[in-house]
């Protein structure tokens, strides 16, 4: 299938991270915590749609409501009551979400949030952080250049756009302060409140609150990119978890439990700038499409009704896995770093402190590959990159945890053998 795919799909995949050597497995179906491949192997899934499937694959109440909606139409391009209900949920759950616009993808959400911030502040530059991912378009697909001015990180990217983005190290407030104090044209600061796109990197104590203070003082729109953390870290996302209110926030993955839907939410004075009444143009044919909105409404309804069960349970499942891996590391006398928060975790093949994207140059990718392949061969699927995050869902069971810990122990044994044969 991969050979066939490569003839007609560039590299055989529709998004680059899906490829790994020698070739990715093909999915046939998914249910609960598991994916079944076309060659009839069952995998416990920790990629979980890169965090999208908080409730699990094919979660009954969500799929049933989507099926009901599909029998009643899948695209109207006029408003529906469900769109209003969805925005009302946002206001109810997220205190600063006075207004919400529904879009289709995370990239679309961050792109429009940034445009909104520029229009509102009448300033042009933005700050982003090295290792944070906000989508694959020119303003945010940038690397750090000299004096932290961005340069395109993709061929075809435009220097003029990238140079408007200042790229700073994560978890370094002193550097941020210096840059803000020497630049007066910063419209927005966009950040993943928990950095989940360079492996999993947690914000240091007081980092986010310091960012909130300085952006407020300097009239910089603070955008939390909650595409991963939203509805996952807690019902109200990272902003609720850390008790910090940004001016705007973007949501996507977990809000639709696997369906393509995203949102920009925030303060009314900002959100009202969107066209047609405002002068910030944002539009999409599929925005608020009935199938995705039904999925999201049902997802959030379930999360809301069972929040006292879902969030503690997923955190506990994640904790058990993390403890199991930690025990295995200890037993094998391996000092690798394990990070986790809520229902997310990652193991880094480094002995260095994990605090920013410089970790990308310090981990042993060969060890990751050995572990990845061992896990996959024993029926555990994690994202095929050291620099992604593993996600636990409400559907993962105690048996899944036991099998996962055993698989990790065996995989780490293989890493240890490799380490010893290197020495
Ligand atoms: C996945 C992701 C995006 C992009 O979302 P798409 O739906 O893939 O466009 C943006 N920000 C963060 C933090 C993400 O993890």
């Amino acid at each position: 299938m991969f050979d066939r795919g490569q003839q007609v799909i560039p590299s055989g995949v529709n998004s680059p991270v899906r490829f790994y050597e020698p070739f990715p497995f093909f999915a046939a179906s998914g249910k609960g915590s598991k994916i079944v491949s076309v060659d009839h192997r069952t995998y416990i899934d920790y990629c979980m749609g890169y965090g999208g499937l908080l409730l699990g694959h094919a979660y009954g109440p969500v799929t049933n409501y989507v099926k009901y909606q599909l029998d009643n139409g899948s695209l109207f391009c006029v408003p529906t009551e469900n769109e209003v209900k969805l925005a009302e949920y946002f206001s109810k759950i997220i205190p600063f979400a006075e207004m919400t616009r529904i879009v289709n993808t995370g990239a679309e959400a961050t792109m429009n949030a940034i445009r909104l911030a520029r229009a509102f502040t009448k300033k042009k530059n933005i700050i982003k952080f090295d290792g944070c991912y906000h989508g694959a378009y020119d303003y945010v697909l940038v690397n750090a250049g000299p004096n932290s001015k961005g340069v395109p990180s993709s061929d075809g990217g435009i220097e003029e756009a990238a140079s408007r983005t200042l790229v700073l190290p994560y978890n370094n407030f002193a550097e941020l302060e210096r840059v803000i104090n020497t630049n007066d044209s910063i419209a927005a600061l966009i950040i993943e409140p928990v950095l989940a796109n360079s492996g999993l990197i947690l914000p240091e104590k007081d980092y986010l609150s310091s960012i909130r203070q300085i952006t407020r003082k300097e009239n910089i729109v603070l955008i939390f990119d909650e595409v991963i953390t939203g509805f996952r870290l807690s019902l109200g996302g990272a902003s609720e978890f850390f008790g910090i209110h940004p001016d705007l926030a973007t949501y996507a993955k977990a809000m639709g439990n696997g369906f393509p839907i995203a949102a920009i939410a925030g303060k009314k004075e900002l959100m009202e700038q969107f066209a047609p009444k405002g002068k910030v143009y944002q539009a999409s044919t599929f925005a608020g499409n009935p199938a995705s909105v039904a999925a999201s409404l049902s997802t959030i309804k379930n999360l809301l009704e069972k929040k006292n069960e879902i969030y503690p349970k997923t955190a506990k499942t994640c904790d058990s896995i993390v403890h199991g891996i930690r025990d295995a590391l200890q037993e094998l006398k391996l000092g690798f770093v394990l990070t986790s928060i809520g229902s997310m975790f990652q193991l880094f093949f480094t002995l260095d402190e994990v605090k920013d994207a410089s970790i990308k140059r310090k981990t042993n990718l060969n060890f990751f590959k050995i572990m990845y392949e061992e896990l996959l061969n024993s029926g555990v699927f994690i994202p095929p990159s050291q620099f992604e995050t593993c996600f636990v869902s409400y559907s993962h069971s105690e048996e899944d945890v036991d099998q996962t810990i055993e698989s990790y122990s065996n995989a780490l044994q293989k890493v240890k053998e490799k380490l010893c044969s290197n020495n």
Side-chain angles (χ1 to χ4, degrees), residues 3 44 52 103 106 123 202 240 243 269 274 288 331 380 389 395 403:
D3 281 343
I44 305 172
V103 293
K123 296 189 278 186
L202 309 186
E240 178 182 85
E269 53 172 350
F274 275 132
E331 205 157 293
V380 172
T389 293
S395 294
Q403 191 186 327

Side-chain angles (χ1 to χ4, degrees), residues 105-107 110 133-135 192 197 225 227-228 253:
T105 68
T110 62
Y133 180 72
H134 306 295
E192 284 183 70
N197 277 291
D225 183 353
V227 166
I228 284 185
K253 294 178 173 114

Side-chain angles (χ1 to χ4, degrees), residues 218-239:
E218 301 294 333
N219 184 30
I220 296 168
V221 174
L222 175 59
I223 306 169
F224 269 9
D225 183 353
E226 296 232 38
V227 166
I228 284 185
T229 50
F231 298 95
R232 173 172 283 277
L233 206 48
S234 70
L235 185 61
S239 66

Side-chain angles (χ1 to χ4, degrees), residues 363-382:
T363 60
N364 187 319
L365 297 182
N366 192 23
F367 289 169
F368 179 83
K369 189 164 187 292
I370 293 170
M371 178 181 80
Y372 177 79
E373 286 173 0
E374 283 298 318
L375 289 176
L376 199 64
N377 286 334
S378 70
V380 172
F381 174 53
I382 64 170

Side-chain angles (χ1 to χ4, degrees), residues 60-70 82 85 294-295 297-298:
V62 176
T63 25
N64 287 340
Y65 193 43
V66 173
K67 283 179 197 163
Y68 165 84
Q69 180 57 55
L70 288 176
N82 274 355
K85 279 189 184 165
L297 264 186
S298 174

